Amino acid sequence: MALDLAWQPSLLDTAAAGAGIELAVDGRGLRRHELAGGAWVDHQPGWLRGADELFTRLLELTPWRRRDIRMYERVLPEPRLTHRWSLDDGPGPPVPVLRTMAAALGERYRVAFTQVGVNLYRHGADSVAWHGDRVARELPSAVVALVSLGAVRPFRLRPSGGGTSVRFLPGPGDLLVMGGSCQRTWQHAVPKVRTAGPRISVQFRHAYPR
């Protein structure tokens, strides 16, 4: 799929990227937000240094596709582009650092991340509605890790069924990790905004016991 996106790298991150893509594995700056019902969210600003470099690689090398989703009685094109790779078999992601990121997160959270997905929000009209991850909704607890690249977009969580939402504004290289009962008792969304530059969300999921 051909992409023509107006994207301006961050001057601050471009300077940092001179040393390549690096991870802040020491947990410095990480803050855990305890939510109701046994859910929690970790937020670590700047977990990934060189985020703009990774954004550029993924934008160019990912075979982006647009999925169809069912909305009530209709099937509609999803308002974002996506792709997923297995870390267990097949060729895997074209950018090797994604495996390094999965291993580092797996060591920290004591799970084996076996799948990495990327979501491209091209502009403010691209979005994802309230949801919990489909398989993880059936589990007592699960861990889903997100790394934000590109433009800043609001990331919201609310109790399942509705209620007051919690907002995060992850910047380039920020890490968000949803854990505990979060996928089962809370929902998350990236809402539409009036204007926004392109953003890529990198998602890591672990194997679920059947």
Side-chain angles (χ1 to χ4, degrees):
M1 177 177 292
L3 297 175
D4 182 17
L5 301 180
W7 176 66
Q8 179 64 47
S10 164
L11 294 178
L12 294 176
D13 193 71
T14 300
I21 300 172
E22 299 178 353
L23 309 179
V25 296
D26 58 5
R28 184 177 304 173
L30 184 146
R31 180 184 174 190
R32 174 159 295 186
H33 302 259
E34 299 286 352
L35 306 176
W40 52 263
V41 175
D42 281 353
H43 179 208
Q44 184 174 350
W47 180 75
L48 177 77
R49 190 170 76 166
D52 286 349
E53 181 178 344
L54 181 56
F55 181 99
T56 300
R57 291 187 195 176
L58 289 174
L59 191 64
E60 294 175 352
L61 298 176
T62 301
W64 298 105
R65 67 188 183 94
R66 192 171 189 180
R67 301 183 302 178
D68 289 332
I69 56 174
R70 180 170 295 277
M71 294 288 290
Y72 305 104
E73 298 293 326
R74 297 187 296 170
V75 176
L76 301 171
E78 186 177 25
R80 61 178 182 174
L81 305 181
T82 65
H83 192 75
R84 292 181 182 177
W85 297 278
S86 170
L87 299 177
D88 281 344
D89 51 35
V95 184
V97 73
L98 295 182
R99 290 188 180 273
T100 304
M101 295 162 65
L105 291 168
E107 182 176 354
R108 175 186 288 184
Y109 291 98
R110 300 185 178 182
V111 294
F113 288 104
T114 58
Q115 184 186 90
V116 56
V118 285
N119 301 316
L120 173 60
Y121 302 86
R122 296 160 294 179
H123 38 63
D126 276 358
S127 63
V128 63
W130 291 110
H131 71 287
D133 279 18
R134 182 177 57 82
V135 178
R137 288 198 302 263
E138 303 171 2
L139 301 175
S141 64
V143 178
V144 178
L146 313 174
V147 180
S148 188
L149 310 172
V152 176
R153 290 285 299 269
F155 182 89
R156 290 187 175 272
L157 297 105
R158 72 177 185 185
S160 295
T164 303
S165 66
V166 178
R167 187 179 77 155
F168 293 89
L169 288 173
D174 282 12
L175 172 68
L176 282 176
V177 180
M178 296 176 283
S181 68
C182 199
Q183 302 304 319
R184 181 168 51 84
T185 61
W186 286 68
Q187 297 175 315
H188 55 277
V190 177
K192 297 180 187 294
V193 293
R194 180 172 297 178
T195 59
R199 170 182 181 259
I200 294 176
S201 172
V202 185
Q203 302 180 339
F204 300 90
R205 295 178 175 84
H206 57 81
Y208 302 115
R210 297 290 183 176

